[in-house]
Amino acid sequence: INQYNITDDRETWYLELKEFANNNGYCPSVKEYNQNPSLYKGHIGDVCEIIRVSLTSLKESPDIYEIMQVYGYDRVVNRFNYFIENFD
């Protein structure tokens, strides 16, 4: 949550998400993950799914970046905090 910046463009947001994933034991590349799955907790797609579910309560949704832009910073942070508090 601390790294989320509502003003980031899509590319910057995704690069920061990949860095966050990598720093937390998730592979930033699905292809690389498939070559060495035992080295990681999961891959960037898994991180995206966690974000999607925490924001929408759905496993499938429109683009996460767009949802976050529509929701705005406060709503995104509130949803993440609710998810963390209730599903940790």
Side-chain angles (χ1 to χ4, degrees), residues 2-59:
N2 296 336
Q3 297 177 349
Y4 174 55
N5 185 346
I6 191 95
T7 62
D8 285 345
D9 61 33
R10 181 186 307 275
E11 183 177 341
T12 302
W13 173 80
Y14 192 65
L15 289 173
E16 289 176 358
L17 182 62
K18 288 171 69 170
E19 182 179 340
F20 172 83
N22 190 50
N23 291 340
N24 287 280
Y26 291 83
C27 187
S29 163
V30 175
K31 182 178 179 180
E32 184 180 332
Y33 172 79
N34 288 336
Q35 293 171 353
N36 297 299
S38 63
L39 299 178
Y40 304 97
K41 296 177 184 178
H43 55 73
I44 188 67
D46 298 322
V47 174
C48 289
E49 185 171 333
I50 292 167
I51 293 170
R52 177 176 286 107
V53 170
S54 68
L55 292 176
T56 67
S57 302
L58 302 169
K59 289 183 98 175

Side-chain angles (χ1 to χ4, degrees), residues 37-88:
S38 63
L39 299 178
Y40 304 97
K41 296 177 184 178
H43 55 73
I44 188 67
D46 298 322
V47 174
C48 289
E49 185 171 333
I50 292 167
I51 293 170
R52 177 176 286 107
V53 170
S54 68
L55 292 176
T56 67
S57 302
L58 302 169
K59 289 183 98 175
E60 294 181 19
S61 72
D63 182 88
I64 301 169
Y65 175 81
E66 292 297 325
I67 289 171
M68 293 171 81
Q69 293 299 304
V70 170
Y71 279 5
Y73 181 83
D74 290 338
R75 188 172 181 190
V76 168
V77 171
N78 288 338
R79 295 241 178 177
F80 281 142
N81 286 334
Y82 177 82
F83 187 80
I84 290 166
E85 291 169 8
N86 292 286
F87 301 100
D88 188 19

